[in-house]
Structures are given as C-alpha cells and as structure tokens.
Amino acid sequence: MLSPDVGSATTQHTTVLETLFHSALLFPTIAIANTMQPSMFLFLHMGIMASSADQLRPGFYAETCPIAESVVRNVIFKAMVNDPRSAASVMRFQFHDCFVNGCDASMLLDDTPDMLGEKLSLSNINSLRSYEVIDEAKQELEKRCPNVVSCADIIIMAARDAVFLSGGPNWELKLGRKDSLTASQEDANSIMPSPRANATALIKLFNQFNLSVQDLVALSGSHSIGNGRCFSIVFRLYNQSGTGKPDPAMDPDYRLKLEQLCPAGGDGNVTGDLDGTPKVFDNQYFKDLVNGSGFLNSDQSLYSGDERSRKYVEKYSRDEGVFFEDFVEGMVKMGDFQSGRPGEVRKNCRVVNGDK
C-alpha cells in the first residue's frame, strides 16, 4: 500500500476519469444536495484584513468568457491522465494560496530581485508541484479570452475539478477574484501549518480564519488523495515528541510498513500514500485515522489527539455523503478569503503584468 508513486495512469483510472469528465460537460455546475450556502464573513489574521466576498458570484464569466470553466476542466482532465498525482497537487493550491493573504494567486508568482515569493516557503518547497498545469490552463484561456480570467479563479476552478475528477463532489463556484501584485515568503512561513502540527494547534489556526472544527476536519479530507514524503513522518516513526520512540497512536502493522518505506537515515523524498485509496476522493482517509493508519501526524492527531475533532472523524468515516457536503462547505468558505488589496488579471500567472 505504501510505495513511491510512479505517476502512471492505469486503463481503469483513465476510464473512470473519462466518465466523470463527460458527465461534467453535460452538467457542469451541479452542486451536491443539501450543501449550505456560504455566509459572508470578515476575518483578521496577522494584520491582514479581508473584505467581504460579495463581489464573487456564480456565472461571473458567463458573458466575458463562457467557456472558462470547461477549458480549465479539460486541462485538469488531461493532466490527471498523464500524471494522477497532479490531482492532489492542484487541489492543494487552493489551500496554500487562500490561507496566505487570501485567494489571490500570490503563491504562483516567481521570485524577483525585489521579492521573495511563496514557492520556496517552508510549506511549499519540495512539496507543491504541478505549477505547469495552471500555466497551461492560463495559456489556453489567454488564447480564447485574453485578459479576462484571473489566475486566482483558475486555482479555485482547478481545485474543484481535481476533486470531482477523482470521484469526489462537484459544486458551483463563485468567481471574480483578482490576482495579487506581490507575494510574501515570510507570510507563508508564518501562517501555513506543519505536517507535525497537532489537532489542538490546527483548531486554533482555523479559528483565526473563522473556520470551525468541522471545517478543519472536513478540509483535512483533502488528504484523501495524494502522497506525502518520508521527511514529514520520520519523527513519528523514531522520535515522537523527543521520546526516541514511535508515535503510540500508530497501528503497529501500519508502522512496520512505514518503517520499510522510510528507514531511519533513508531518502526523505520517498513518498507514501496518504490513505488506502490515494487516487480516489472518498472517506477512506477517515477510516484509516480511526484505525490508527494516518500517514501524517497532523492527520492522525485529528482522531487521536483532540476530542473536538475526533467526533467529526468518526462521523465522516461512517458517512461519506456528509463528508462531501461539509468538504464543499469548507472549500467555499475558504474561497471567500480576500485581502482587500489592489489586484489585476495577470497575463502570465508567474509574473505581475509589466514585469519580464
């Protein structure tokens, strides 16, 4: 179960993708049943003020670029056929972008002589990948609708599509974001949590963004797809909390598998599956946490480390439909994060307009 992901798409995987893709073309904006409407809210964190999201709305590009969402979904589909791991990568872009100064595509900016961007921040370096997928979507949209669709909105579209094309829920998006004029490696370092974080710290962090414990656990279900590096878990295997011993919350059989994958002193860049079905967006992630088979400390702690989050892990492990509903609600809330700063629609997601 835990082996380095080689990124090859099987015939079965491709067939499932094609079925989901064509159904999405027929019903592109179906929202899952009973999803709560997102409320507009203000949040204040680290001196960054967020404005209300009232300028965001469904159908924002209906007149200026009606093919926007289908173009992005087609690019994500092709990327997933070529490399199934790209689904998890582009989905997590929304998290790494929106938590740092709002959903403004700041994380896509390359460094300049005057600015250290977010790509080399502690949470992104050697972790985030598939930036070229967003580049491709932007290039296609610039051919068809020049200077219209923001990179920030492409991130939101791509995240939704990666979830749906992996077997998860589909939902209607509110669009209309602008791209930031700058990025901050310092802000990314100070805000984004570590995979070593525990549930208590994560609850506190999410509360600063007006996100509930339910939101935290549901959004952590993003780890239903993808892989993690040995670098992120070796302390759990050999020196949890400085004890020189493994994490006692870990299932012994699962720990033995991880020790074979990630031996002490081994290659920290070797990857393992985040749950038992790493290419399918489902509730297996929560079942694994209940069984003590969470890959990351930050994941397992949601069940083993805090009663406030444990009840949601248990609920989602029993009811996938409820997980899907709460995940969508959390993604929409997160998509409302904005800094209130001036922005633009970048022609190239990697540079501010006017820069070479």
Side-chain angles (χ1 to χ4, degrees):
M1 180 178 70
L2 291 169
S3 59
D5 190 287
V6 296
S8 61
T10 63
T11 301
Q12 182 179 9
H13 175 75
T14 303
T15 302
V16 172
L17 271 176
E18 289 173 343
T19 301
L20 290 169
F21 177 72
H22 291 302
S23 69
L25 292 180
L26 292 173
F27 308 103
T29 58
I30 294 175
I32 64 172
N34 300 322
T35 299
M36 295 180 61
Q37 292 299 315
S39 60
M40 293 182 292
F41 58 92
L42 299 176
F43 75 96
L44 185 64
H45 180 67
M46 309 236 356
I48 300 163
M49 186 169 63
S51 63
S52 65
D54 55 355
Q55 72 270 32
L56 304 179
R57 66 179 190 273
F60 182 84
Y61 297 110
E63 295 183 2
T64 56
C65 189
I67 60 171
E69 292 190 51
S70 61
V71 167
V72 173
R73 180 160 286 184
N74 185 56
V75 170
I76 301 305
F77 169 75
K78 291 189 295 183
M80 290 174 62
V81 170
N82 293 328
D83 178 7
R85 287 182 64 193
S86 64
S89 300
V90 299
M91 174 187 59
R92 289 184 192 125
F93 283 169
Q94 177 169 335
F95 291 75
H96 289 248
D97 185 38
C98 293
F99 270 92
V100 183
N101 300 333
C103 310
D104 59 4
S106 60
M107 61 159 286
L108 298 179
L109 288 172
D110 288 340
D111 289 355
T112 71
D114 302 316
M115 181 197 75
L116 287 178
E118 298 164 25
K119 289 182 176 178
L120 299 183
S121 66
L122 297 175
S123 60
N124 295 345
I125 189 172
N126 297 324
S127 177
L128 290 189
R129 56 195 296 279
S130 299
Y131 292 105
E132 69 281 357
V133 176
I134 304 299
D135 290 337
E136 182 179 349
K138 180 61 175 175
Q139 290 165 6
E140 286 296 317
L141 287 168
E142 285 299 301
K143 292 177 184 176
R144 306 189 189 198
C145 313
N147 306 316
V148 171
V149 183
S150 69
C151 301
D153 276 345
I154 293 173
I155 288 176
I156 299 297
M157 296 181 211
R160 187 270 309 272
D161 295 342
V163 170
F164 176 69
L165 293 173
S166 298
N170 193 24
W171 64 95
E172 187 175 57
L173 299 175
K174 295 191 299 181
L175 302 171
R177 296 163 188 83
K178 295 295 186 182
D179 299 324
S180 69
L181 304 178
T182 187
S184 173
Q185 188 176 121
E186 181 180 359
D187 288 348
N189 285 337
S190 63
I191 294 172
M192 293 303 297
S194 163
R196 299 190 178 201
N198 59 37
T200 303
L202 292 172
I203 290 171
K204 181 179 179 181
L205 171 64
F206 272 58
N207 183 62
Q208 291 177 305
F209 288 92
N210 279 4
L211 293 174
S212 66
V213 177
Q214 172 185 298
D215 295 325
L216 163 64
V217 180
L219 289 172
S220 295
S222 63
H223 287 170
S224 170
I225 56 175
N227 304 86
R229 293 188 301 150
C230 287
F231 172 81
S232 299
I233 65 165
V234 287
F235 76 99
R236 293 189 68 203
L237 296 173
Y238 308 109
N239 191 28
Q240 176 77 330
S241 302
T243 63
K245 299 179 181 180
D247 182 356
M250 196 181 303
D251 174 75
D253 291 337
Y254 181 67
R255 175 171 54 83
L256 290 176
K257 292 180 180 181
L258 290 186
E259 287 176 348
Q260 294 174 358
L261 178 72
C262 306
D267 183 357
N269 288 318
V270 171
T271 59
D273 300 337
L274 289 176
D275 80 348
T277 55
K279 293 183 176 67
V280 180
F281 194 94
D282 55 16
N283 68 337
Q284 183 61 47
Y285 163 84
F286 297 103
K287 295 177 181 179
D288 289 350
L289 297 187
V290 172
N291 294 329
S293 302
F295 187 81
L296 299 175
N297 187 75
S298 56
D299 291 334
Q300 188 60 53
S301 179
L302 295 174
Y303 179 77
S304 306
D306 199 295
E307 293 182 358
R308 292 171 293 177
S309 52
R310 180 184 302 134
K311 65 180 182 180
Y312 291 105
V313 172
E314 292 174 339
K315 180 168 71 171
Y316 298 151
S317 73
R318 296 189 299 264
D319 194 327
E320 184 175 88
V322 172
F323 161 50
F324 282 4
E325 291 176 7
D326 291 352
F327 179 82
V328 169
E329 182 181 346
M331 290 291 279
V332 174
K333 283 183 179 180
M334 192 198 331
D336 283 349
F337 292 176
Q338 294 184 79
S339 68
R341 298 174 177 176
E344 64 181 7
V345 175
R346 290 187 215 136
K347 297 179 181 179
N348 180 335
C349 291
R350 294 175 179 262
V351 297
V352 173
N353 293 343
D355 286 353
K356 294 183 180 180

